[in-house]
Amino acid sequence: MPNPARFGKWNNYKVCFLPVEPAFVCVVSRFRSFVKYWLPAGIWMVLIFSASGDARSYQHSSRIIVPIMRWLFPGISAQALDLAVLLVRKCAHLTEYAVLALLFWRAIRRPIKRDPRPWSWTLAGRVLLCVAFYAASDEFHQLFVPTRDASLRDVAIDTCGAALGIFMLWGMHPWRSRRGSVIARSDA
């Protein structure tokens, strides 16, 4: 039988074979952990996948963007309007994959309140690799959508969005730990 002292509150894995907990509690705990950490990432991936399967996505997004641009800039040329639609769509790619990177980081890291663990560039690299792989699979999926094209440029844009999300998270990391130490000092 393993030593129960090894499995403290900082351990990410729930021990199911200790006699103090019934197996049902362990299964529920794992299910809760999955729902809390992996389900949001999975739902976001399904949303991205469904959006990339939309055969008329350019027409759908331009139906929204073009009237707004014409209202903001009444004299805008058709060429500038097409460029604006393209830029808004590519910024949407950056944003959706930055959010996916944050959700993957959260699912893999499983942060806890006042997390004492330092920043991990290895974890950030793994998250970036996972998101790049998903972006490539999404572009591969677009090969089979009649009016969509697969593009390595889009994979690069999506991966840059993931990197942007990770760097934003990294930028927040020292702020959070400094804030936590200020709170700890003021409590003393």
Side-chain angles (χ1 to χ4, degrees), residues 114 177-188:
R114 296 184 188 206
S177 51
R178 269 187 270 137
R179 183 172 176 243
S181 64
V182 169
I183 291 170
R185 274 189 252 130
S186 66
D187 289 345

Side-chain angles (χ1 to χ4, degrees), residues 42-117:
I43 290 171
W44 194 253
M45 290 168 66
V46 167
L47 287 172
I48 291 173
F49 187 82
S50 65
S52 72
D54 185 5
R56 295 182 11 209
S57 65
Y58 184 84
Q59 290 86 358
H60 289 155
S61 58
S62 63
R63 260 188 6 209
I64 298 167
I65 300 166
V66 168
I68 293 171
M69 293 302 291
R70 288 202 188 277
W71 180 70
L72 290 173
F73 309 102
I76 193 168
S77 68
Q79 204 173 25
L81 202 54
D82 286 341
L83 180 63
V85 169
L86 180 70
L87 288 174
V88 168
R89 288 175 53 82
K90 296 309 170 188
C91 286
H93 270 263
L94 280 170
T95 304
E96 68 189 15
Y97 279 89
V99 169
L100 183 62
L102 295 175
L103 291 172
F104 270 4
W105 180 89
R106 180 179 175 268
I108 295 170
R109 172 89 177 209
R110 295 181 184 201
I112 54 177
K113 192 172 184 176
R114 296 184 188 206
D115 198 344
R117 296 174 291 176

